[in-house]
């Protein structure tokens, strides 16, 4: 299996690049943010709970997120592999993901981290707000909170994969196609 963690701060291009990677490598795309938004739209209990955190730009609690992710992975028994987009965002989530994959006799192949500087992220999210319809894109204070949460809670997850020799940094600035090519090269050189 090819199991990729696509990592990076909000606005780094994880969603855009995931679309291309699933197409090229035939992987299942699991975006925890997308799944939470679908639950909000469907007015499920999970959606209601997630919304209270997402609206502030805070993380949904680990237990809730991990259980949700597990049940999504288990829905795809015959997958060739997965792209985890927006997950794991804490070390507890990374540990749970390792345990889950190990119980399925597989593991994370690599973490690809899109590297984009903070000013550029703010610019991109401001532009995205014009069409995304996402409340958490619309308010600069919430955007800043998401960036801060990334720095404090999520960025340390990098070390988790570095320790396993699975971390690869990818320059996330430039044309979308150029960035895709960098990702393909990293994957094909594995
Ligand atoms: P995203 O679409 O990845 O930008 O995620 C949007 C929001 O969903 C985040 O700001 C969090 O509130 C929540 N979220 C998504 N993924 C996770 C996760 N792995 N752990 C906790 N919260 C998450």
């Amino acid at each position: 299996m090819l199991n990729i963690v696509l990592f990076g701060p909000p606005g780094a291009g994880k969603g855009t690049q995931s679309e291309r990677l699933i197409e090229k490598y035939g992987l299942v795309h699991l975006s925890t943010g997308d799944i939470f938004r679908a639950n909000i739209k469907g007015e499920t209990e999970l959606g209601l709970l997630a919304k209270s955190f997402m609206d502030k730009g805070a993380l949904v609690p680990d237990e809730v997120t991990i259980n949700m992710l597990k049940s999504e992975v288990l829905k795809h028994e015959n997958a060739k592999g997965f792209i985890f987009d927006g997950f794991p965002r804490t070390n507890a989530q990374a540990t749970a993901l390792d345990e889950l994959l190990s119980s399925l006799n597989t593991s994370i192949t690599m973490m690809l981290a899109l590297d984009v500087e903070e000013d550029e992220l703010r610019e991109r999210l401001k532009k995205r707000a014009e069409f995304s319809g996402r409340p958490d894109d619309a308010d600069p204070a919430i955007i800043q909170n998401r960036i801060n949460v990334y720095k404090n809670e999520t960025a340390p997850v990098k070390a988790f994969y570095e320790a396993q020799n699975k971390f690869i940094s990818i320059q996330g600035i430039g044309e979308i196609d150029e960035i895709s090519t960098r990702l393909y090269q990293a994957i094909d050189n594995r």
Side-chain angles (χ1 to χ4, degrees), residues 10 14 31-34 36-37 53-54 57-60 65 86-89 93 128 134 136 146:
K14 300 187 293 294
S31 156
T32 40
D34 284 354
F36 285 138
R37 281 185 288 278
F53 295 93
M54 290 167 78
L59 293 184
V60 177
T65 306
F87 184 96
R89 265 171 151 103
Q93 292 180 14
R128 187 169 83 182
R134 284 178 53 170
D136 60 347
R146 288 161 61 204

Side-chain angles (χ1 to χ4, degrees), residues 73-116:
V73 168
L74 296 175
K75 281 182 195 167
H76 300 277
E77 243 181 64
N78 298 318
K80 281 168 68 181
F82 292 93
I83 294 210
F84 298 98
D85 162 5
F87 184 96
R89 265 171 151 103
T90 63
N91 278 329
Q93 292 180 14
T95 303
L97 181 60
D98 265 11
E99 284 169 8
L100 172 67
L101 294 180
S102 158
S103 75
L104 299 170
N105 291 317
T106 185
S107 59
I108 289 296
T109 312
M110 59 176 70
M111 167 183 265
L112 298 171
L114 292 169
D115 187 18
V116 178

Side-chain angles (χ1 to χ4, degrees), residues 5-183:
V5 173
L6 193 58
F7 194 66
K14 300 187 293 294
T16 306
Q17 296 298 339
S18 287
E19 293 303 323
R20 294 169 168 228
L21 295 178
I22 52 168
E23 183 95 351
K24 187 167 163 69
Y25 296 97
L27 305 174
V28 173
H29 181 206
L30 290 186
S31 156
T32 40
D34 284 354
I35 298 166
F36 285 138
R37 281 185 288 278
N39 276 276
I40 292 174
K41 210 168 159 200
E43 297 180 349
T44 68
E45 206 175 308
L46 174 65
L48 208 64
L49 175 74
K51 186 173 166 30
S52 61
F53 295 93
M54 290 167 78
D55 281 352
K56 293 182 284 194
L59 293 184
V60 177
D62 278 338
E63 202 194 331
V64 176
T65 306
I66 290 167
N67 284 335
M68 182 274 270
L69 191 277
K70 275 187 188 166
S71 73
E72 291 295 326
V73 168
L74 296 175
K75 281 182 195 167
H76 300 277
E77 243 181 64
N78 298 318
K80 281 168 68 181
F82 292 93
I83 294 210
F84 298 98
D85 162 5
F87 184 96
R89 265 171 151 103
T90 63
N91 278 329
Q93 292 180 14
T95 303
L97 181 60
D98 265 11
E99 284 169 8
L100 172 67
L101 294 180
S102 158
S103 75
L104 299 170
N105 291 317
T106 185
S107 59
I108 289 296
T109 312
M110 59 176 70
M111 167 183 265
L112 298 171
L114 292 169
D115 187 18
V116 178
E117 73 225 18
E118 208 175 308
D119 284 349
E120 170 76 13
L121 296 175
R122 272 191 287 265
E123 269 313 301
R124 288 187 188 180
L125 290 169
K126 212 168 94 185
K127 276 194 203 136
R128 187 169 83 182
E130 290 166 20
F131 60 87
S132 73
R134 284 178 53 170
D136 60 347
D137 282 346
D139 178 342
I142 293 170
I143 288 180
Q144 192 56 49
N145 201 25
R146 288 161 61 204
I147 294 174
N148 294 344
V149 165
Y150 174 80
K151 286 200 270 194
N152 298 328
E153 298 178 54
T154 301
V157 176
K158 169 184 167 178
F160 184 92
Y161 291 96
E162 266 175 342
Q164 299 185 12
N165 245 330
K166 291 181 177 173
F167 176 82
I168 300 175
S169 176
I170 303 285
Q171 162 74 270
I173 305 267
E175 294 297 321
I176 292 176
D177 282 347
E178 271 170 20
I179 300 166
S180 303
T181 303
R182 290 178 200 138
L183 291 167

